[in-house]
Amino acid sequence: MPDKTLGQEFVKGLWAENPVSRQLLGMCSTLAVTNAVVNGLAMGLAVAFVLILSSLFVSLIRKIIPNQVRIASYIVIIASFVTIADRFMAAYFPPLSKALGPYVPLIVVNCIILGRAEAFASRNSAGRSLIDALGMSLGYTIALVILSAIRELLGSGTLLGRPVLGAWFEPWVIMLLPPGAFLTLGILIAAAFAIERKARRRRSA
Amino acid sequence: MKLPARMVVVLTGVSLLAAAFLAGVNLLTRERIATNKQKEIEAAISLVIPGARSSRKVYEERGFSVYAGSDESGNLLGWAVESVTGGFQDNIIFLVGADAELSRIRRLYILEQKETPGLGAKITDEKTFLQFWEGKDMNLPLALRKPPAGKEDLGPAEVNTITGATISSEAVLSGVTLSLDRLKKLRSEGRLEGEGSHAR
Amino acid sequence: MNLVLLFVSAVLINNFVLHYFLGICPFLGVSKKVDAALSMGVAVTFVLALTAVVTWPINHWLLIPYGMPYLQIVSFILVIASLVQLVEMFVRKTSPPLYQAMGIYLPLITVNCAIMGLALLASLKEYGFAETVVFGVGAGIGFTLAIVLMAAIRERLELADVPWPLRGAPIALIVAGIMALAFLGFSGMIK
């Protein structure tokens, strides 16, 4: 299989291999913190931090780690970066940290990060792994922002805390609760499937 | 190096490096995190004991803490109780302020809640809920008024229920009642730290 | 806190899947057949109970007393990974047929958010030992309940005419949303 260009490595994370809409990974955090755009954005950035740094690290030391202990080592590396992200948030952004709660530490079991470490960073150069991580992070964050924008808009009538829809709008509180999360994500993924299928049909027509 | 030995060395090395790095991060952030917590409590206490410039924790047990709030000169202005009550969805953590003689409630503040947005979550709202608690008589049994009445029509120990959020309102009521009763009991038993040095 | 109330809360009111969004990956991935779902549920409950029993002492006798709460994330996940490994080895040695039935799910449990979530939530809520264990078992039973219900529904969905964009994950998520809605009815059950 021909090597992807660096540009392609980056772009794939945005759509073709989007962690949320295509790979269906990391859904625990996606559903839990997307009730407001600021929360979704913060989570996206936290995941980006952990994903980029751990992919980089794993890629840098991939040649000296024996195969049998690689998963354990990756876990330690990822857990460390998650702890750093969590501590930093608690120190410098306390209200965000409270809003995201246990879901920042839960990034450690977010399949995206271990998945990328195992599937990509452990077999590619640091440069490529970095680009891959950047693309995945961006794709993930965009998905989170879209999801939280819909939920916040319909659930509170605001975006980023600012009222957008007028007073005539009676917020659909259900959007802020678990059912709304599940439903919105399901519809978004279906939309992604539909768009992709139609695009593919057009390409091969 | 033979494989098993190499496995152990690499894993231990990675773990030690990680632990050392994290210890460093901890050193960098822990003071700030502690300060944040401190500031949050102090801000809340000055909300429930208006005029309080400093506070001191005088009693603590799991799920129940008492603070003494004083003004700049160190005079005791009132007591604040932080406690937990079971709400509709999850626990509600609140802070209620009482005056120094434990005769009237100063103010109520909700620290943490996970009630239904738009309904139970209104317990954090000043206009529909919190304002009615101010000045209520602590020596009468507190009661909820349903349907809600105007502020002037409420009895000396009556607070308004939030329409559509009876359970959340009742949870706060029972939590506050229990906490204030406990506070009065602890005070009469002299078990609040530093007792007798201020409230003269 | 009353242990019975805690248990009921973990199973129904604050169901790990439908309220805390933990364990979604297996919830969507292993819920196509009821017996597979049941096996996964039992395995997860077992690991949850073990995790509760092991992480509580580590947290309360080692990390917190020695001022190392910041090592919680690293320690918990390593403990969980090791526990899962041990359980897998144990099952493989003692009961090959059981391993045949459940073995493939076991490694997946390590990255099941529910396990790590249990350790973190119990620590956050400052539960005692008994409370943590009850919470863990309740969480597992709640997870099993949710995943078996989902599997039962999906088995029937296989025979229904689902529009093509919705097939697979989307319809499962929508079903989950309706289940979550139903479970919301349990709120306020215990006052």
Side-chain angles (χ1 to χ4, degrees):
Chain A
M1 188 160 74
D3 249 10
K4 289 201 180 74
T5 67
L6 285 184
Q8 286 170 323
E9 293 287 18
F10 178 77
V11 169
K12 71 180 195 280
L14 298 182
W15 179 257
E17 288 181 38
N18 185 294
V20 175
S21 63
R22 195 56 56 76
Q23 299 186 58
L24 304 177
L25 296 175
M27 285 201 260
C28 303
S29 334
T30 314
L31 291 164
V33 304
T34 45
N35 49 7
V37 176
V38 64
N39 293 345
L41 203 54
M43 178 57 93
L45 290 176
V47 169
F49 175 77
V50 176
L51 183 57
I52 292 171
L53 285 176
S54 54
S55 284
L56 199 58
F57 251 75
V58 165
S59 174
L60 285 173
I61 59 173
R62 73 187 184 280
K63 301 226 168 94
I64 54 175
I65 299 207
N67 206 18
Q68 294 82 339
V69 293
R70 72 180 193 290
I71 298 284
S73 315
Y74 299 164
I75 288 180
V76 172
I77 294 173
I78 295 172
S80 306
F81 284 119
V82 172
T83 309
I84 296 175
D86 181 53
R87 293 283 90 189
F88 248 68
M89 242 190 181
Y92 293 98
F93 301 100
L96 260 185
S97 178
K98 242 199 181 157
L100 295 179
Y103 293 100
V104 175
L106 278 175
I107 296 179
V108 73
V109 282
N110 187 321
C111 311
I112 301 178
I113 313 209
L114 194 59
R116 280 345 267 172
E118 167 72 0
F120 199 89
S122 60
R123 308 158 197 219
N124 283 278
S125 69
R128 266 180 193 276
S129 305
L130 181 62
I131 304 278
D132 172 83
L134 277 170
M136 292 282 156
S137 308
L138 194 55
Y140 182 71
T141 308
I142 291 177
L144 282 195
V145 169
I146 294 179
L147 187 56
S148 34
I150 296 177
R151 286 183 72 193
E152 186 181 351
L153 195 61
L154 294 175
S156 328
T158 65
L159 269 186
L160 280 174
R162 241 149 265 169
V164 168
L165 300 174
W168 58 268
F169 181 70
E170 188 63 40
W172 301 355
V173 172
I174 201 75
M175 293 302 274
L176 300 176
L177 298 173
F182 283 117
L183 290 169
T184 314
L185 184 60
I187 295 178
L188 274 182
I189 295 182
F193 278 1
I195 297 175
E196 169 63 20
R197 180 89 74 98
K198 293 227 157 78
R200 225 186 308 145
R201 289 226 175 103
R202 235 184 303 120
R203 274 200 300 264
S204 53
Chain B
M1 202 190 278
K2 284 195 64 182
L3 185 59
R6 190 157 156 214
M7 276 167 57
V8 173
V9 165
V10 167
L11 203 47
T12 318
V14 170
S15 308
L16 284 178
L17 267 175
F21 199 43
L22 288 182
V25 168
N26 183 49
L27 280 175
L28 275 177
T29 53
R30 71 173 170 197
E31 247 191 72
R32 194 120 183 194
I33 294 179
T35 316
N36 286 341
K37 276 214 181 106
Q38 182 73 351
K39 272 200 229 157
E40 196 192 332
I41 276 287
E42 280 186 359
I45 292 181
S46 59
L47 272 178
V48 299
I49 309 179
R53 289 281 171 272
S54 69
S55 64
R56 205 180 69 242
K57 192 182 275 200
V58 295
Y59 185 83
E60 185 175 11
E61 67 175 42
R62 200 176 144 192
F64 184 84
S65 309
V66 182
Y67 299 84
S70 321
D71 63 15
E72 307 87 15
S73 333
N75 300 319
L76 180 71
L77 283 178
W79 310 90
V81 179
E82 181 191 344
S83 188
V84 182
T85 182
F88 187 65
Q89 281 282 151
D90 209 332
N91 286 336
I92 301 174
I93 305 183
F94 60 89
L95 190 66
V96 59
D99 62 9
E101 301 80 37
L102 292 182
S103 64
R104 292 201 175 280
I105 297 179
R106 294 306 304 271
R107 306 190 68 175
L108 175 63
Y109 184 66
I110 309 291
L111 287 167
E112 265 178 54
Q113 55 87 13
K114 291 209 171 72
E115 306 299 281
T116 316
L119 287 172
K122 283 211 181 116
I123 53 176
T124 56
D125 188 47
E126 185 66 34
K127 246 185 7 163
T128 46
F129 192 65
L130 296 177
Q131 63 159 327
F132 302 111
W133 293 78
E134 191 165 358
K136 292 296 148 153
D137 194 327
M138 268 173 67
N139 295 310
L140 294 174
L142 288 167
L144 281 174
R145 174 80 165 255
K146 197 160 87 156
K151 197 162 181 184
E152 326 72 50
D153 302 324
L154 288 173
E158 264 192 320
V159 290
N160 275 332
T161 317
I162 295 176
T163 317
T166 314
I167 294 185
S168 305
S169 311
E170 280 174 357
V172 176
L173 180 79
S174 86
V176 170
T177 305
L178 285 170
S179 306
L180 292 178
D181 285 343
R182 191 98 201 284
L183 174 65
K184 285 186 269 183
K185 186 148 183 283
L186 286 172
R187 178 82 188 284
S188 66
E189 290 171 4
R191 284 168 64 188
L192 297 176
E193 196 189 294
E195 260 285 56
S197 49
H198 289 288
R200 284 276 173 250
Chain C
M1 189 181 167
N2 189 318
L3 291 178
V4 173
L5 291 183
L6 183 58
F7 181 74
V8 171
S9 167
V11 176
L12 295 176
I13 304 174
N14 293 320
N15 185 289
F16 254 48
V17 180
L18 301 172
H19 178 86
Y20 282 119
F21 303 110
L22 299 172
I24 301 283
C25 295
F27 179 64
L28 292 180
V30 187
S31 58
K32 297 229 173 94
K33 293 255 175 265
V34 175
D35 23 346
L38 194 55
S39 307
M40 179 54 123
V42 170
V44 166
T45 307
F46 186 59
V47 175
L48 277 173
L50 271 186
T51 304
V53 169
V54 176
T55 56
W56 192 91
I58 293 184
N59 199 19
H60 288 262
W61 294 346
L62 183 64
L63 295 181
I64 293 180
Y66 291 98
M68 300 189 287
Y70 62 94
L71 285 182
Q72 268 173 4
I73 299 177
V74 184
S75 341
F76 286 170
I77 191 64
L78 283 178
V79 164
I80 293 169
S82 322
L83 273 179
V84 171
Q85 193 82 318
L86 285 171
V87 169
E88 199 188 338
M89 288 198 284
F90 180 72
V91 170
R92 197 179 335 164
K93 288 248 164 71
T94 56
S95 171
L98 189 62
Y99 185 69
Q100 282 286 56
M102 297 210 311
I104 22 170
Y105 304 128
L106 289 175
L108 282 175
I109 298 181
T110 315
V111 278
N112 185 333
C113 315
I115 321 283
M116 186 70 185
L118 167 75
L120 289 171
L121 282 171
S123 178
L124 214 74
K125 294 176 190 258
E126 295 178 357
Y127 283 158
F129 184 69
E131 287 171 325
T132 306
V133 175
V134 169
F135 188 48
V137 173
I141 300 204
F143 174 79
T144 309
L145 182 64
I147 199 177
V148 168
L149 282 175
M150 175 62 99
I153 296 177
R154 281 182 96 173
E155 274 187 2
R156 298 218 179 158
L157 268 183
E158 284 295 296
L159 310 167
D161 188 18
V162 179
W164 62 264
L166 290 175
R167 278 196 207 134
I171 195 70
L173 283 168
I174 294 177
V175 169
I178 299 177
M179 276 174 66
L181 203 55
F183 269 64
L184 266 186
F186 288 120
S187 305
M189 212 171 96
I190 45 177
K191 272 207 265 170

